[in-house]
Amino acid sequence: MTQPLASPTPTDPAQAAADAARIVDAFLEASMRPDPVAAAAFMAPDVRIVFTGGRLFGHPGEATAFNAARYRWVKKRILRNDVVPGPEETVVYNLGTLYGEWPDGTPFESNRYVDRFVIRDGLIVSQEVWNDSAERILSRAASGA
């Protein structure tokens, strides 16, 4: 099982930024397998996960189940991490695009996303997720696809 990259909060902002980005990257890699148990190892027990539309989850397994109903499968093409170190926590904005298949098997790509992570004491304490999926689902429904 993958272990979190937890360490004492570094006093060096550059080290805090690098550590936080590694935690997010490892979490996303586990999430995309999908392996919610491994992904949970990078999250605090009281993590707050908020998906588009204000959907609130307390464990990566709940987010995986939601995605299983929304997509046949989905992956992220990660563009970059923008990291903002702070005195008590570090914020990581992970940006990129989603690609995969809708439930009917129709492929999609270039679906923009931004995930905002808050890292405290080496663990993800919150994740907020925004993407274009809802707009694409509405467009598909309007066109009869």
Side-chain angles (χ1 to χ4, degrees), residues 76 78 94-98 111-115 130-131:
K76 292 183 176 190
I78 297 170
N94 179 269
L95 295 90
T97 59
L98 302 175
N111 182 340
R112 300 173 307 160
Y113 79 87
V114 176
D115 289 355
W130 295 276
N131 61 55

Side-chain angles (χ1 to χ4, degrees), residues 55-76:
R55 292 171 184 87
L56 183 61
F57 306 115
H59 188 276
E62 297 170 17
T64 298
F66 173 78
N67 281 338
R70 180 170 260 199
Y71 311 103
R72 181 175 284 179
W73 63 271
V74 64
K75 303 288 183 208
K76 292 183 176 190

